[in-house]
Amino acid sequence: DFSEASREALRYAIVLAERLDAHIEVLHVWEPSPYVSPAALVWLQGEAQSFWAHVERDLAERLRAWVAEVAGPEMPRISTRVEAGYTSQAILRAAEQGPFDLVVMGTHGRAGLSHLLLGSVAQRVARLAPCPVLTVRAQRPDRESSRGAPRVA
């Protein structure tokens, strides 16, 4: 979701992948609006395309740029992918279908009413995923330092 929690999760995934000589697949899930038909067309630069195809292409470009910003311009073992659907369901489906050993994801750490109303994607994924799940919170402003990359023992 391009949040600070997601940024921190990617940083942890990069450190783990470097240590374990692993590949990272970054998945961004967007929930299409129920009010826009998949057949709705938009005209861009003289070309008609479905609204959803336009959004998906735009998100894929934003995701690649965001990953490059977090990981650095050389991302040798990082791939990106965008899917439409409900966030937790799409993440769980990807975890079940792919050869993944670990899911690393950010969490906003909501509590109380906001947690009750919004639910927790991370909590649902951690409970139902076929592999271990590492949830990472964004750095709190009072704990930020110049420590650099996350330390993993």
Side-chain angles (χ1 to χ4, degrees), residues 69-97:
E69 178 187 318
V70 175
E74 295 188 19
M75 309 177 303
R77 301 193 69 183
I78 301 177
S79 61
T80 59
R81 166 171 111 176
V82 174
E83 286 191 15
Y86 293 110
T87 307
S88 59
Q89 290 175 354
I91 294 169
L92 289 167
R93 185 174 49 250
E96 290 168 0
Q97 293 174 350

Side-chain angles (χ1 to χ4, degrees), residues 1 4 21 23-26 32-33 40 46 62-63 65 67 89 98 103 115 123 131 143 146 152:
D1 63 2
E4 279 304 310
D21 194 31
H23 176 86
I24 298 171
E25 181 171 308
V26 179
S33 168
R62 282 185 59 202
L63 181 61
V67 169
Q89 290 175 354
V103 172
H115 176 74
Q123 187 177 45
C131 60
R143 295 191 66 196
S146 58
V152 178

